[in-house]
Amino acid sequence: YDTYPQRSRKGLFDATMEASKTKSNIQRRESVATKAAHGAADMTRRMVCGGLAGMIAKTATNPLDRIRMLSQTGEHGSASKLTPIQLFRSVIKNEGVLGLWAGNGANLLRVFPSKSIVFSSNDFF
């Protein structure tokens, strides 16, 4: 004895397919929302990593930049022209080792935003 006539089976199949499509649409919407959330988190991570990488690079090269600026302006020596090695020794003698990183804080405030934008948008453009 068949409890479900042919028409009922077809209706049941159609209802199941419709429910499956609805579930698929919901999953698709959730997937899009999840991807957007992951994309925003990924962009934030890239910005922070790019900014930190720029700050580390600027801090590592700041002594060379400081010596270059002093040799261009002539502020740190006598009337005669000093070589970069002499400027290096003069800065360490007069200001200590930390004198090589004088002005680094202002550079870091400038470098973080610029490098974070460059690093985060590198894959897009």
Side-chain angles (χ1 to χ4, degrees):
Y1 174 69
D2 192 6
T3 58
Y4 298 106
Q6 186 66 24
R7 182 177 258 182
S8 296
R9 286 187 198 156
K10 186 173 192 290
L12 184 62
F13 178 75
D14 288 343
T16 305
M17 289 303 293
E18 194 62 38
S20 175
K21 286 180 185 177
T22 304
K23 186 176 180 183
S24 176
N25 287 339
I26 291 171
Q27 286 174 342
R28 191 174 301 123
R29 284 188 208 132
E30 289 174 355
S31 176
V32 169
T34 304
K35 286 180 184 177
H38 287 297
D42 189 48
M43 180 65 79
T44 303
R45 182 183 57 84
R46 286 176 186 264
M47 289 183 83
V48 169
C49 289
L52 289 176
M55 290 173 68
I56 291 169
K58 193 63 169 173
T59 301
T61 59
N62 196 65
L64 298 173
D65 196 34
R66 169 82 192 218
I67 298 299
R68 179 186 56 85
M69 297 226 351
L70 289 175
S71 68
Q72 288 175 347
T73 60
E75 288 182 20
H76 207 276
S78 60
S80 66
K81 185 80 170 161
L82 295 175
T83 66
I85 301 294
Q86 290 170 333
L87 273 173
F88 184 79
R89 288 181 182 154
S90 175
V91 168
I92 290 177
K93 179 180 153 192
N94 295 332
E95 300 176 29
V97 175
L98 292 179
L100 294 171
W101 282 274
N104 192 40
N107 275 334
L108 296 182
L109 289 176
R110 178 182 58 85
V111 165
F112 186 86
S114 64
K115 294 301 179 186
S116 66
I117 291 170
V118 167
F119 189 77
S120 65
S121 62
N122 197 21
D123 289 341
F124 298 111
F125 302 107

